[in-house]
Amino acid sequence: MKDCLECGKPLMGRVDKKFCSDMCRNSYNNRLNSDSYNIVRNMNNQLRKNRRILEELCPDDKSKTTKSQLIGKGFDFNLITSVRPTLKGNVYHFVYDYGYLELENDIYLIVKDKRLDK
């Protein structure tokens, strides 16, 4: 007989059961995902913030903005999800479905990747 992973009470029912109740399951998972994963949570929050900023500045498929406007809104250039080089040798930095390309004079082209809309 197995015991609940959270409270240690004996489990009744299914063979693959791990918790005696939803409360124990939630407590276990909340503890598992708490302080030890702060760095992951903080990075994910900043990635979501970066995406929201790009989405706000690019209401259509493409738009241009300045580096100072991105920084002013709290954009972190160090956190991206992918890099995509083009055939012309340009490099787009993506935060999920929004990408940016540095042009000249601190101007940035922001694009939305429509391939991910499916």
Side-chain angles (χ1 to χ4, degrees):
M1 189 175 248
K2 293 170 76 177
D3 295 332
C4 176
L5 293 177
E6 180 63 17
C7 70
K9 290 181 183 175
L11 295 175
M12 303 283 196
R14 292 179 26 188
V15 177
D16 61 343
K17 195 171 182 179
K18 296 180 182 180
F19 305 99
C20 63
S21 67
D22 286 338
M23 188 173 79
C24 277
R25 179 179 48 82
N26 288 333
S27 294
Y28 178 87
N29 286 315
N30 287 339
R31 188 171 30 79
L32 185 68
N33 293 320
S34 66
D35 296 330
S36 61
Y37 295 98
N38 263 343
I39 190 165
V40 174
R41 183 177 28 257
N42 292 340
M43 282 187 177
N44 285 336
N45 287 339
Q46 183 62 50
L47 282 168
R48 282 193 297 273
K49 181 178 181 180
N50 279 357
R51 187 194 176 279
R52 278 193 306 271
I53 291 167
L54 293 175
E55 181 180 32
E56 176 187 327
L57 294 173
C58 185
D60 301 319
D61 290 344
K62 292 181 181 179
S63 69
K64 289 183 182 177
T65 190
T66 62
K67 184 174 188 173
S68 61
Q69 190 172 20
L70 287 166
I71 291 172
K73 291 185 175 287
F75 192 85
D76 184 348
F77 286 92
N78 295 314
L79 290 176
I80 58 172
T81 56
S82 64
V83 176
R84 294 189 201 159
T86 66
L87 295 174
K88 294 181 180 179
N90 297 322
V91 178
Y92 281 87
H93 296 82
F94 273 82
V95 180
Y96 302 113
D97 55 339
Y98 283 91
Y100 61 91
L101 171 67
E102 184 175 4
L103 303 173
E104 51 196 34
N105 300 326
D106 285 339
I107 302 292
Y108 284 81
L109 173 66
I110 302 172
V111 296
K112 181 169 181 9
D113 187 355
K114 293 291 188 181
R115 295 179 291 179
L116 300 175
D117 282 349
K118 296 176 185 176

